[in-house]
Amino acid sequence: MSLTAGRRALRAALPCVVAIVVSLPLHAAAQTLQVGADAQARGAARLAIDHVAYRAARCELEQVREPENDSPNRGGFVAVYLRNVSDAPVRLRFWRLNGRDESVHRVDRRDAWDRTHDPVLAPGATTVTEIDGLSTDFAAGRPFAFSWVDDSWQEVGGVETVLTEDPVRVAFIRVLPGARGVEAFVRVSGTGPVEFSGAEVVGRPSTAVTWSTRRLAGPGIAIARIDLAEPLETAGLVIIKVALADATGPRRVFGHRRAFVDRFPVGTWGAEEALREELHGLSIDTAVVDGRRSDSFFARDAERLGMRAMVHTGIITDVDRVRELSGSPHVACWMIQDEPDWSIPAATVLLAERTVRSIDTSHPTMVTLCRNVKFFEYAPIPDIACMDHYCVTAPSSSAWPQPWGTRLEETAHYTSDLKMAAEPRPVWVWTQGLFDWTERPERPVPTVAELSAQLVLNLSRGAKGILWFSYKSDLGVRYPDVRAAMAGWGRTLLLTRDDLLAAEPSPVPVEAPPGVDARLLVGRDAAVLCLTNLDYEPDPAGYRFRERQDVRVTFEMPAWLRPERAVRLDHESASEVAVTTTAGRASLGVGALVDAAIVLLPADPARPAAVLAAWTAAMHRDPSRAAAGRSSSLPETP
């Protein structure tokens, strides 16, 4: 795991869908022809371009500053959804854009990388071509004349449009347990009503489609649950199509990812044999672990402690390791590389990720990034995009006001912008834990408040997994308060992680006192309110927080949720709070706020009592001693 993190954020980027006219007449001569290709040759229309989704690359220039950005991204990410409308397979050879073959865009670094998920397309099948553009050829408002050439060396389908961002976007696709269904979270950020008329997994028959709401009057989240007749194939391409109507008329939005059942890990870096019991007692269930099936972690302790491994594969892929651990139930993901955005081109990362995919289809791939200005180039490559950004007592690539720290909100910018670059895939976040650096000699590890604030800020921006960097047992002895905070937050995460996994950040603002960051995550069965105290003074001995009293927040509650009771949780307490809803607006008081807290607002009226009971039971266990067997020492989700 990195000891560095960059500082500039990519501004929220919305995908777009454009109304498309399928066309073939792309006559402009290519500057460089593929072997055997004729830029004027056009065959029969064998492909339909169903959709072009686009999001522009953006960087946060006001809140963070990354000084090393000599080649800023001026382009955008494009996903072209294409369907074989012929009665024979189509073997795709290469694409053209604005009269130039794909080779020109690659060699001239007009794009960082591109890929097509299924280059041989069966009759009636749909796939997607992804292009991560760097140049102004891929900027918003630019013409996009795109076509595919097949093995006849003729153009067989294309589209002419303009790259435009859309205020409606498939923000997250959640693959449900058993892969028998998905939840599609659709975010509306524009004004005016949007009506949803349908949702489907392309090419997959469904048994039921249910919506949290079919109408949004303005910004918000709508969730479609799609139950499938047959489970998804592991690692198979999942394409979501949503039908809607707004002021522009009826249209569709698309999104895609690979099919892996989503889980919310609570992880760390490293799980040496002598440390595993202690990690288990801290509610940590995932760790960076290499090795072979015969090693003690995979052969014994993973099953006994309920732990899973993030297995490092490397840019030069450790093929033997991937083959040996392929299919192991104790692998959470293949960790392709840590911080490649420092020195390894995105196309090289893509090649390494593709190599792992060619060997194993049982586990998702993951890449950890650190430089915001590069997120856009790398985040769409793996199944899970991850990032690290630590705001105190750590090295950094960004410009800090002091050598020992910066504003804690920077980690929120990084998480938010990683998510926007990776959508609709999940993102995990390395958050600051118990590790000592030399940048702040007076306090080499974060305080409880610094750790708590960074954690909840990351959760509030949509993290679908939390990884502590890191945990050192000797530091736990020297700083027992921080160790206890990690254990307490671990209990809270295990009790609420299914809710966090099943909820997305709402674009609707939350009214809160000045200096309190309040964000609402919205799900079908519950909402999660994340509260962080930003009223603090940076200090080399530890940031000084001013405790906020009688904190009350008000927000628009989703129409399908009307909770009357909620549960406020942090690292050391859990309590029930009342919720008052009037004319669709919810109001609740959460009492004093020292650093950070989360509030669970479930639709089930029995859930608050169950969560409190589970919390109390977990508190009566000794968190420093983990008995054999997960259920004996870790709380279960109520």
Side-chain angles (χ1 to χ4, degrees):
M1 178 57 198
S2 101
L3 304 184
T4 59
R7 224 26 132 256
R8 182 176 294 168
L10 296 176
R11 289 188 188 273
L14 300 173
C16 97
V17 171
V18 288
I20 296 171
V21 178
V22 176
S23 61
L24 290 174
L26 302 174
H27 301 295
Q31 290 185 355
T32 302
L33 295 181
Q34 304 284 345
V35 175
D38 180 354
Q40 304 296 329
R42 299 188 305 281
R46 304 181 65 194
L47 294 178
I49 308 299
D50 287 333
H51 185 75
V52 175
Y54 172 74
R55 58 180 183 259
R58 292 184 176 87
C59 294
E60 173 61 62
L61 299 176
E62 298 177 0
Q63 302 300 322
V64 294
R65 185 168 67 88
E66 174 91 32
E68 295 184 17
N69 187 26
D70 296 334
S71 302
N73 192 327
R74 296 183 171 88
F77 181 81
V78 185
V80 182
Y81 297 88
L82 48 142
R83 177 168 45 93
N84 183 354
V85 294
S86 73
D87 57 3
V90 174
R91 292 173 173 80
L92 302 171
R93 289 296 187 185
F94 64 91
W95 49 263
R96 289 189 179 123
L97 175 60
N98 297 337
R100 296 184 177 95
D101 292 359
E102 65 180 26
S103 59
V104 176
H105 295 276
R106 292 173 179 172
V107 174
D108 291 353
R109 272 193 58 80
R110 296 170 184 268
D111 66 45
W113 55 269
D114 64 90
R115 69 179 166 197
T116 298
H117 284 261
D118 300 294
V120 179
L121 203 55
T126 299
T127 193
V128 59
T129 296
E130 300 168 310
I131 308 174
D132 198 306
L134 299 174
S135 71
T136 55
D137 293 332
F138 300 92
R142 294 300 297 269
F144 188 80
F146 179 88
S147 64
W148 261 106
V149 173
D150 73 352
D151 57 359
S152 70
W153 303 107
Q154 296 179 325
E155 291 177 355
V156 291
V159 62
E160 293 185 10
T161 186
V162 174
L163 295 175
T164 310
E165 293 185 302
D166 195 300
V168 182
R169 178 171 179 173
V170 180
F172 178 50
I173 301 170
R174 180 191 177 199
V175 179
L176 298 173
R180 293 297 296 260
V182 301
E183 287 180 343
F185 293 76
V186 184
R187 182 177 60 243
V188 175
S189 58
T191 59
V194 178
E195 303 273 355
F196 299 99
S197 57
E200 64 179 278
V201 177
V202 174
R204 294 284 178 176
S206 61
T207 58
V209 178
T210 56
W211 285 86
S212 61
T213 181
R214 284 186 175 269
R215 186 180 191 277
L216 290 173
I221 297 286
I223 308 165
R225 176 176 174 133
I226 307 170
D227 295 313
L228 300 172
E230 298 291 338
L232 297 164
E233 293 92 352
T234 301
L237 181 63
V238 179
I239 298 176
I240 299 295
K241 179 169 67 174
V242 175
L244 63 99
D246 59 9
T248 66
R251 56 193 182 84
R252 300 164 298 178
V253 294
F254 283 58
H256 69 279
R257 60 168 291 184
R258 289 206 299 165
F260 293 100
V261 173
D262 287 299
R263 299 178 176 88
F264 190 111
V266 180
T268 191
W269 189 284
E272 294 77 12
E273 187 168 355
L275 189 62
R276 291 169 194 161
E277 296 279 356
E278 188 174 2
L279 295 178
H280 180 64
L282 294 172
S283 301
I284 290 171
D285 63 6
T286 308
V288 176
V289 179
D290 296 332
R292 298 291 189 259
R293 284 180 182 261
S294 60
D295 294 345
S296 62
F297 179 88
F298 295 101
R300 182 192 65 207
D301 290 340
E303 178 73 23
R304 182 172 65 89
L305 299 176
M307 298 185 74
R308 301 170 76 223
M310 296 176 284
V311 179
H312 183 254
T313 60
I315 289 297
I316 300 177
T317 304
D318 188 333
V319 173
D320 292 337
R321 176 179 295 165
V322 176
R323 285 174 175 164
E324 179 160 341
L325 293 175
S326 177
S328 169
H330 309 309
V331 173
C333 65
W334 303 115
M335 192 173 73
I336 303 299
Q337 184 65 25
D338 184 49
E339 297 189 344
D341 46 339
W342 269 117
S343 58
I344 301 171
T348 304
V349 177
L350 177 69
L351 178 60
E353 199 263 357
R354 182 180 296 167
T355 301
V356 172
R357 286 192 187 196
S358 70
I359 302 170
D360 173 79
T361 58
S362 61
H363 306 301
T365 58
M366 184 266 269
V367 173
T368 295
L369 306 172
C370 67
R371 301 183 62 207
N372 271 47
V373 294
K374 297 297 183 182
F375 281 177
F376 198 89
E377 296 178 33
Y378 295 79
I381 294 174
D383 297 303
I384 302 164
C386 188
M387 77 91 190
D388 51 34
H389 187 72
Y390 317 124
C391 296
V392 296
T393 185
S396 178
S397 63
S398 60
W400 281 7
Q402 302 291 340
W404 40 261
T406 186
R407 296 291 301 181
L408 302 177
E409 301 91 286
E410 285 193 8
T411 193
H413 294 305
Y414 272 64
T415 300
S416 178
D417 298 326
L418 178 76
K419 176 173 166 36
M420 289 297 177
E423 287 181 347
R425 301 167 179 85
V427 299
W428 295 355
V429 173
W430 289 97
T431 196
Q432 198 158 8
L434 256 179
F435 192 90
D436 52 341
W437 285 283
T438 59
E439 276 72 14
R440 191 171 69 171
E442 293 184 59
R443 176 76 187 196
V445 303
T447 66
V448 170
E450 293 164 353
L451 177 145
S452 300
Q454 291 180 82
L455 169 66
V456 175
L457 285 168
N458 289 324
L459 292 173
S460 73
R461 269 56 173 187
K464 296 295 188 284
I466 288 295
L467 312 173
W468 298 106
F469 190 78
S470 184
Y471 180 75
K472 296 174 70 174
S473 188
D474 61 326
L475 293 179
V477 175
R478 290 172 56 192
Y479 301 95
D481 58 335
V482 181
R483 184 191 187 282
M486 286 184 65
W489 280 117
R491 288 190 293 270
T492 291
L493 288 172
L494 291 194
L495 289 171
T496 60
R497 62 178 169 182
D498 288 346
D499 303 285
L500 293 164
L501 185 62
E504 273 290 287
S506 171
V508 180
V510 177
E511 294 181 12
V516 174
D517 183 88
R519 301 295 174 111
L520 186 68
L521 309 176
V522 175
R524 285 170 53 93
D525 301 318
V528 181
L529 180 67
C530 297
L531 302 169
T532 309
N533 183 7
L534 302 183
D535 188 5
Y536 60 82
E537 291 294 334
D539 190 282
Y543 288 22
R544 293 178 281 110
F545 283 72
R546 302 178 186 89
E547 182 175 335
R548 309 302 300 271
Q549 299 293 329
D550 301 321
V551 174
R552 177 166 289 276
V553 296
T554 304
F555 52 91
E556 182 181 338
M557 182 69 76
W560 64 92
L561 292 176
R562 287 294 181 266
E564 297 181 356
R565 308 294 295 178
V567 183
R568 180 197 189 278
L569 304 108
D570 55 33
H571 61 88
E572 58 185 359
S573 66
S575 59
E576 193 168 349
V577 297
V579 182
T580 302
T581 303
T582 304
R585 291 191 64 78
S587 176
L588 66 155
V590 297
L593 183 66
V594 177
D595 40 51
I598 66 173
V599 181
L600 177 65
L601 299 108
D604 182 356
R607 182 85 190 285
V611 172
L612 288 174
W615 171 272
T616 301
M619 284 293 291
H620 282 88
R621 302 185 182 101
D622 181 358
S624 66
R625 297 177 60 193
R630 176 175 178 176
S631 61
S632 64
S633 58
L634 298 184
E636 298 294 331
T637 302

